């Protein structure tokens, strides 16, 4: 079967087409036929497109901010030109979407119908940068491929079994009943990495206790036991927890009251401040990109150094608290842009975790590891660097759902 995956971010869109043999249920037997991405973040009013297939890389800049127009421009290259891998759109059997917020109700990959769409729309207030663009992608695909079944794979689902004491906020109980609780995010990535580590360790995931550190532009931790997340650092929204590229992570909520009351900022200004102007960018005054921070740090920039040290400080505290949630930890896993690529960050974090018996093999750490172990033999906990692949995990989830049920599109 051919599965098209749409993974929409606030200022990005990734799309991949996969081929999965119909009769093969073994995990990750999956071939990427075509990938495309759009990045609206680099230049105002412009979108950078990139398509990779048939050994060809095509790059162009679209002079258009309208999201759907640019996505259609990207899709043109699925069936046209040197990067084409399809003769017609109708060859696509299923479409899978990463949907960031599934609330309490959606805990499994789900066929998309009118009810699911309206739930995604209703949850937009909890994930305003993501759920609306996820829905736009779903509606676009309905226009382009009206008869092709679509599946939503939710980023919150992997965390749905977090026990109440980790999910509830210490507010009056009625807020918990109203849905103000820890949901957690990056679930598709945390789950993918956990399954990959179990494979590499040749042990059933159900017997492992893992801490996964997804460190990208957004960053979160998950404590994983019996194949489920039992605690995670992001909460009601993706703003809680670790310090991130431009997001502050956890801060004293009294600061928000102070900003609103004493500095008379509007809710929109506070939102922008905490989501877009804080984290590495806020402290350094330079950038939210860890590559820039480490570069400036090496040149002796004090604020870049402070931003890096603060990032490490919060990360170490977060990992230690996940240790407390699990008791014993078989493996610590680094993934996503920063986790996979920054040896200096991994070194700084693991040095501070030595009191827990964690010991990094510096040589392995510096040797661009990918899907590899980087702990010494003596280390009490294995350390892995895993290349996360949310899109193939979504395609896999779609294939499993499709093979387990009728291929006809479920009714609304
Ligand atoms: P997203 O969370 O948007 O999916 P990624 O997982 O791709 O993002 O992570 C993007 C971030 O990864 C960049 O902002 C950058 O900080 C970081 N990154 C990428 N490559 C490197 C590198 N070689 N060294 C340090 N950080 C890196």
């Amino acid at each position: 079967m051919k599965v098209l995956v749409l993974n929409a971010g606030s200022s990005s869109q990734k799309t991949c087409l996969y081929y999965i043999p119909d009769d093969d249920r073994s995990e990750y037997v999956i071939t990427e036929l075509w990938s495309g991405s759009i990045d609206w973040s680099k230049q105002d009013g412009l979108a950078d497109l990139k398509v990779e297939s048939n050994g060809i890389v095509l790059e162009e800049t679209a002079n258009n901010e309208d999201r759907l127009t640019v996505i259609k421009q990207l899709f043109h290259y699925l069936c046209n030109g040197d990067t084409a891998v399809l003769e017609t759109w109708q060859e696509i059997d299923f479409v899978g979407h990463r949907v960031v917020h599934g609330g309490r109700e959606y805990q499994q990959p789900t066929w998309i119908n009118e009810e699911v769409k309206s739930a995604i729309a209703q949850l937009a207030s909890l994930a305003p940068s993501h759920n609306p663009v996820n829905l736009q992608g779903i509606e676009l695909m309905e226009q382009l491929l009206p008869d092709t079944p679509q599946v939503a794979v939710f980023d919150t689902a992997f965390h749905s079994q977090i026990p109440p004491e980790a999910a509830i906020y210490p507010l009056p109980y009625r807020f918990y009943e109203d849905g103000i609780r820890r949901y957690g995010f990056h679930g598709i990535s945390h789950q993918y990495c956990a399954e990959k580590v179990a494979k590499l360790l040749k042990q059933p995931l159900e017997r492992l206790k893992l801490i996964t550190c997804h460190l990208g532009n957004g960053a979160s931790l998950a404590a994983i036991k019996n194949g489920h997340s039992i605690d995670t650092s992001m909460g009601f929204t993706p703003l809680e927890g670790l310090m991130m590229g431009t997001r502050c992570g956890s801060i004293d909520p009294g600061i928000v009251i102070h900003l609103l009351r004493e500095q008379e900022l509007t809710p929109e200004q506070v939102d922008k401040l905490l989501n877009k102007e804080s984290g590495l960018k806020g402290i350094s005054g330079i950038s939210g990109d860890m590559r820039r921070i480490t570069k400036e740090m090496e040149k002796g920039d004090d604020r870049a150094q402070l931003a890096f040290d603060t990032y490490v400080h919060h990360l170490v505290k977060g990992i230690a608290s996940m240790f407390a949630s699990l008791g014993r930890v078989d493996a610590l896993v680094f993934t996503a842009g920063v986790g996979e690529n920054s040896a200096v960050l991994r070194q700084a974090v693991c040095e501070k975790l030595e009191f827990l018996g964690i010991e990094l093999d510096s040589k392995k750490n510096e040797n661009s590891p990918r899907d590899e172990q980087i702990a010494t033999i003596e280390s009490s906990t294995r350390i892995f660097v895993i290349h996360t692949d949310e899109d193939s995990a979504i395609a896999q989830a779609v294939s499993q759902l499709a093979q387990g049920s009728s291929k006809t599109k479920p009714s609304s």
Side-chain angles (χ1 to χ4, degrees):
M1 71 177 76
K2 287 184 180 140
V3 181
L4 186 73
V5 172
L6 271 74
N7 183 344
S10 52
S11 58
S12 66
Q13 173 72 54
K14 293 183 198 160
T15 307
C16 290
L17 181 72
Y18 294 96
Y19 171 73
I20 306 175
D22 283 343
D23 55 352
D24 194 332
R25 290 183 183 216
S26 65
E27 281 172 79
Y28 307 124
V29 179
I30 179 164
T31 310
E32 186 183 298
L33 302 176
W34 184 96
S35 78
S37 63
I38 308 169
D39 186 348
W40 281 272
S41 71
K42 290 196 186 134
Q43 310 172 68
D44 269 352
L46 300 177
D48 293 328
L49 277 72
K50 187 172 178 185
V51 176
E52 289 182 77
S53 69
N54 303 328
I56 295 166
V57 180
L58 183 151
E59 287 179 287
E60 69 181 33
T61 302
N63 194 359
N64 200 322
E65 269 185 290
D66 178 60
R67 197 176 172 100
L68 295 184
T69 310
V70 184
I71 295 175
K72 281 184 194 165
Q73 185 174 336
L74 182 77
F75 283 166
H76 173 80
Y77 295 111
L78 257 173
C79 303
N80 297 280
D82 294 340
T83 58
V85 289
L86 298 177
E87 281 186 18
T88 74
W89 276 86
Q90 274 58 42
E91 289 170 53
I92 297 170
D93 297 295
F94 299 97
V95 181
H97 296 265
R98 172 179 173 226
V99 178
V100 164
H101 217 307
R104 277 177 296 181
E105 200 176 327
Y106 292 99
Q107 304 184 358
Q108 299 292 335
T110 304
W111 294 112
I112 294 173
N113 56 23
E114 289 305 317
E115 193 185 325
V116 174
K117 275 164 50 186
S118 82
I120 295 170
Q122 274 173 21
L123 288 162
S125 63
L126 304 187
S129 312
H130 289 94
N131 270 34
V133 289
N134 298 152
L135 198 55
Q136 268 187 1
I138 290 168
E139 286 169 349
L140 175 68
M141 294 316 298
E142 280 177 346
Q143 275 174 33
L144 297 173
L145 286 170
D147 298 321
T148 305
Q150 302 198 58
V151 175
V153 183
F154 298 95
D155 234 358
T156 43
F158 185 56
H159 304 293
S160 60
Q161 296 193 27
I162 287 179
E165 67 273 20
I168 195 167
Y169 289 103
L171 297 167
Y173 190 77
R174 66 175 186 279
F175 289 96
Y176 184 57
E177 290 177 308
D178 284 349
I180 296 188
R181 49 165 287 152
R182 180 178 309 286
Y183 290 101
F185 299 89
H186 293 141
I188 299 165
S189 173
H190 287 297
Q191 182 170 13
Y192 173 88
C193 291
E195 286 171 0
K196 189 88 184 178
V197 165
K199 268 189 154 186
L200 292 169
L201 285 172
K202 298 189 174 68
Q203 288 188 39
L205 181 56
E206 293 68 33
R207 285 213 210 120
L208 293 172
K209 289 184 174 182
L210 308 170
I211 297 174
T212 44
C213 312
H214 178 105
L215 310 174
N217 286 315
S220 71
L221 302 173
I224 300 169
K225 185 179 166 189
N226 300 330
H228 297 288
S229 165
I230 59 153
D231 205 353
T232 189
S233 58
M234 281 181 170
F236 176 62
T237 73
L239 187 55
E240 193 187 348
L242 303 174
M243 170 176 154
M244 309 175 214
T246 63
R247 285 176 238 168
C248 58
S250 293
I251 57 168
D252 177 353
I255 296 172
V256 177
I257 299 168
H258 175 84
L259 294 173
L260 292 169
R261 193 187 281 154
E262 304 300 326
Q263 299 205 9
E264 296 183 0
L265 265 60
T266 63
E268 287 69 32
Q269 286 171 323
V270 174
D271 184 340
K272 190 168 173 225
L273 177 76
L274 304 185
N275 275 295
K276 307 259 188 239
E277 293 165 2
S278 298
L280 289 173
K281 184 180 176 190
I283 296 180
S284 69
I286 298 170
S287 169
D289 190 317
M290 186 60 93
R291 285 167 288 201
R292 279 288 309 280
I293 297 300
T294 41
K295 216 177 193 177
E296 297 306 318
M297 204 168 93
E298 282 158 16
K299 288 192 215 156
D301 187 288
D302 289 345
R303 293 253 304 274
Q305 183 71 56
L306 180 61
F308 181 86
D309 293 344
T310 313
Y311 188 100
V312 171
H313 175 73
H314 285 272
L315 183 51
V316 168
K317 272 174 55 172
I319 293 171
S321 77
M322 293 296 153
F323 257 83
S325 290
L326 286 168
R328 178 201 89 231
V329 176
D330 297 298
L332 175 67
V333 185
F334 290 95
T335 191
V338 178
E340 290 172 35
N341 296 301
S342 181
V344 59
L345 184 276
R346 292 191 300 260
Q347 177 85 37
V349 169
C350 291
E351 266 171 20
K352 288 190 180 238
L353 290 170
E354 277 174 6
F355 77 99
L356 288 168
I358 286 186
E359 218 180 276
L360 188 72
D361 182 321
S362 302
K363 265 203 180 142
K364 286 185 183 165
N365 182 45
E366 280 157 25
N367 211 14
S368 304
R370 185 178 159 123
D371 298 341
E372 278 174 64
Q373 251 200 88
I374 56 166
T376 62
I377 295 169
E378 291 77 28
S379 178
S380 61
T381 297
R382 302 292 93 214
I383 309 170
F384 282 89
V385 177
I386 299 293
H387 172 59
T388 194
D389 190 349
E390 291 165 322
D391 296 341
S392 82
I394 293 167
Q396 196 75 45
V398 172
S399 144
Q400 280 163 0
L401 187 65
Q403 298 199 44
S405 28
S406 150
K407 286 189 188 178
T408 51
K409 187 178 179 182
S411 57
S412 295

